[in-house]
Amino acid sequence: ASVKAGSKKDRSKMAKMVDIMEKGKKNKVYAVRNRPSDIAGDSLMDRVRAIRDTNKSSGKELGKVAEGLRGEKVDSLPAVNSFIDDLESIGVKITDDLKPVFQGSDIEGVVGAENVVKNIVNRMRNTKSPDAYDVHRLKKYIDEQVTYGKTTEGLTGKTESILKGLRSKLDDALDKKFPEYDRVNTTYKDTITALDSIQDVAGRKMDLSGGSADKATGTLLRRLMSNAQSRVRLLDSIDEIESVASKYGKKFDDDLLNQTLFVDELDRVFGPVARTSFQGQIDQAVKQGARAATSEAGAVDAGIGIVGRTAEKLRGVNEENAFKSIKELLKEK
């Protein structure tokens, strides 16, 4: 079913998966470094790389557009007032000389949260009569402080939400006043959000720009076939990656989910190439043998297993022929 639903490119990648599986069955050292899921992982990385390229180019363009905002006026006061109101809602007071007071607040003593708020307020206090360019730079500063889409150490969820709210309102003020800024900024925002979503599911320690990113994301994709709690988040993230890539002209003629399903089926038919799984199969066989040696029912089970294997051998049902059959199937259509 996976093969029939696949495109020509899907079948080409599936053939590579079969080759890796077959070679890994014969060479355990090779299997340590290479798994069929790596191919599906590379398909995901094709999309991530495409979006990253778009993000980089839009980021450079946004910088040029922002340079043209020097001296331009924009009304950022509503965003600032809303920020102050939000801080007061968690007990943080802003003095007449624009300094935050944390005593008695929800984040009193939470060093990470206090420091970020101090940094943002100090930046705003020290920027006299900000123009549109200054507002753009403040947005970038908030990104660096809050690490947009991630979680800074010690930063509470409520404080992070307030700071992101300030950023969003500043962003809206610029977008409404300057259409060209809005156009480029939308591209940048869409792509960084998609990249952050897949990074969030993968975990911050996974380097999506590293040389082994395909292997890491290949393993990540296997969650789609499991009952892992992150399965739905991963599926949503992949949908967003596909959507954003398509929105900005990056078309792919292969199917990530179909490739992931094929990897799962290879493991079901041939067993995982991972050494830990191989050991688990040995343990299972040992237990079955022990059961056969200690019970009548076990002896019957073992006898049926022997008869079944003998019948399969006579019919030519074996791993070598199974690989041949799958390869032939992949050549069809």
Side-chain angles (χ1 to χ4, degrees):
S2 300
V3 173
K4 289 179 180 179
S7 65
K8 183 176 180 180
K9 191 167 185 179
D10 280 325
R11 294 197 304 277
S12 174
K13 293 191 174 188
M14 289 172 181
K16 291 179 181 178
M17 295 177 190
V18 174
D19 288 340
I20 291 172
M21 174 66 81
E22 187 174 24
K23 191 171 181 179
K25 286 291 183 179
K26 298 173 182 177
N27 185 335
K28 291 300 177 184
V29 175
Y30 175 85
V32 170
R33 292 184 174 274
N34 303 275
R35 296 187 183 175
S37 58
D38 297 350
I39 304 299
D42 191 54
S43 295
L44 175 57
M45 286 308 303
D46 283 343
R47 290 149 172 84
V48 171
R49 285 186 285 264
I51 292 175
R52 188 183 292 132
D53 288 344
T54 302
N55 176 255
K56 285 182 179 179
S57 61
S58 63
K60 290 179 181 178
E61 188 179 0
L62 185 62
K64 292 178 182 178
V65 172
E67 285 290 336
L69 300 182
R70 291 180 183 275
E72 295 285 346
K73 293 183 179 180
V74 65
D75 187 9
S76 59
L77 190 59
V80 174
N81 287 337
S82 178
F83 174 58
I84 292 173
D85 289 343
D86 288 341
L87 287 177
E88 289 183 348
S89 73
I90 59 172
V92 178
K93 304 294 183 183
I94 303 296
T95 64
D96 292 338
D97 56 349
L98 298 178
K99 291 184 179 180
V101 177
F102 300 101
Q103 186 174 1
S105 72
D106 297 350
I107 60 173
E108 181 182 1
V110 182
V111 178
E114 286 189 0
N115 286 341
V116 173
V117 171
K118 284 179 186 176
N119 290 340
I120 299 296
V121 172
N122 287 342
R123 175 68 174 255
M124 294 167 68
R125 183 179 66 241
N126 295 329
T127 303
K128 304 300 182 183
S129 301
D131 60 14
Y133 180 72
D134 291 325
V135 172
H136 167 74
R137 291 295 302 274
L138 179 58
K139 269 179 50 188
K140 293 181 66 177
Y141 186 72
I142 295 172
D143 286 347
E144 291 298 321
Q145 291 294 309
V146 182
T147 319
Y148 198 65
K150 306 174 187 177
T151 302
T152 300
E153 185 176 356
L155 185 61
T156 66
K158 183 64 175 178
T159 310
E160 183 178 8
S161 177
I162 289 173
L163 294 171
K164 285 184 178 181
L166 170 62
R167 184 197 187 282
S168 178
K169 290 180 177 64
L170 293 172
D171 192 43
D172 288 343
L174 291 171
D175 286 346
K176 290 176 182 177
K177 181 81 181 284
F178 307 101
E180 183 63 8
Y181 183 92
D182 182 27
R183 180 188 67 80
V184 182
N185 187 46
T186 297
T187 303
Y188 182 81
K189 187 161 43 178
D190 285 347
T191 51
I192 198 66
T193 299
L195 292 172
D196 274 346
S197 73
I198 192 68
Q199 185 71 71
D200 185 52
V201 177
R204 296 298 160 186
K205 291 183 178 180
M206 184 182 291
D207 184 4
L208 293 179
S209 61
S212 298
D214 58 335
K215 300 181 186 300
T217 52
T219 301
L220 177 68
L221 284 170
R222 298 302 303 276
R223 290 187 199 171
L224 293 175
M225 309 306 297
S226 72
N227 291 321
Q229 289 185 345
S230 59
R231 174 181 169 274
V232 175
R233 287 171 53 224
L234 176 58
L235 192 57
D236 288 344
S237 179
I238 290 173
D239 286 344
E240 185 171 14
I241 288 284
E242 298 270 21
S243 176
V244 171
S246 177
K247 180 178 179 179
Y248 294 105
K250 306 297 182 181
K251 305 293 184 181
F252 297 93
D253 56 354
D254 61 339
D255 189 321
L256 267 178
L257 300 185
N258 201 27
Q259 291 173 41
T260 303
L261 174 61
F262 188 78
V263 171
D264 193 68
E265 286 300 302
L266 281 182
D267 276 1
R268 185 183 66 80
V269 173
F270 297 104
V273 294
R275 193 167 180 82
T276 51
S277 298
F278 181 64
Q279 182 62 48
Q281 291 165 358
I282 292 175
D283 292 343
Q284 186 178 11
V286 169
K287 290 176 182 178
Q288 185 179 14
R291 183 169 179 259
T294 56
S295 73
E296 183 178 345
V300 172
D301 289 346
I304 291 173
I306 292 170
V307 171
R309 287 192 294 275
T310 302
E312 288 186 347
K313 185 175 181 181
L314 290 172
R315 291 169 52 219
V317 178
N318 55 53
E319 212 169 68
E320 182 181 354
N321 285 339
F323 278 119
K324 288 180 180 178
S325 296
I326 292 178
K327 288 178 181 179
E328 287 300 317
L329 181 64
L330 286 167
K331 291 177 183 177
E332 293 178 6
K333 192 177 175 179

